[in-house]
Amino acid sequence: MLEEVERWLSRRSWSVADRPLERILAAKRSTTVSVVLPALNEEATVGDIVGVIRRELMSEAVPLVDELVVLDSGSTDRTAEVAAAAGARVVARDDILPGYRPCPARARSCGGH
């Protein structure tokens, strides 16, 4: 790893042991914390992920996350339904970016965005 990258990471990285939950909650104060999960055909996993976030970070005991949104990127399975049933607010990519045409990861240029 490049030395400058290592220095940058060491100044900006931390572990959960460095920031106890009480300290994080105290620092939050009146700030709103939102978690946005981008998802594409994640029917098999999205419900469990939403459930863990709601149970572990949105409880009365640990009120760290205020809003949980699943951004459905055009799933062809039941990702949106499963996420909503687990308690997430689901937003469709097409509602946010109407007319946006996804670009394949390896494409150099998609044009028309």
Side-chain angles (χ1 to χ4, degrees):
M1 181 181 313
L2 292 174
E3 186 178 325
E4 63 226 40
V5 172
E6 196 167 330
R7 278 195 315 269
W8 187 92
L9 286 171
S10 70
R11 289 192 312 267
R12 289 166 178 81
S13 298
W14 53 276
S15 78
V16 69
D18 298 329
R19 306 259 188 338
L21 181 59
E22 296 76 25
R23 183 173 165 199
I24 293 171
L25 290 172
K28 180 183 172 190
R29 298 183 193 146
S30 62
T31 301
T32 300
V33 175
S34 299
V35 172
V36 179
L37 298 172
L40 176 63
N41 296 329
E42 293 295 337
E43 174 183 358
T45 59
V46 72
D48 290 340
I49 294 167
V50 168
V52 167
I53 292 170
R54 289 185 52 80
R55 186 174 54 256
E56 301 292 328
L57 301 174
M58 297 179 81
S59 68
E60 222 174 281
V62 183
L64 182 61
V65 175
D66 302 294
E67 175 185 38
L68 175 54
V69 178
V70 170
L71 177 59
D72 184 25
S73 297
S75 297
T76 56
D77 65 3
R78 297 181 56 248
T79 295
E81 293 87 353
V82 172
R89 180 165 68 95
V90 178
V91 177
R93 175 202 61 213
D94 295 340
D95 292 342
I96 297 172
L97 299 168
Y100 174 78
R101 191 177 50 138
C103 184
R106 294 191 183 130
R108 291 188 184 267
S109 171
C110 289
H113 285 273

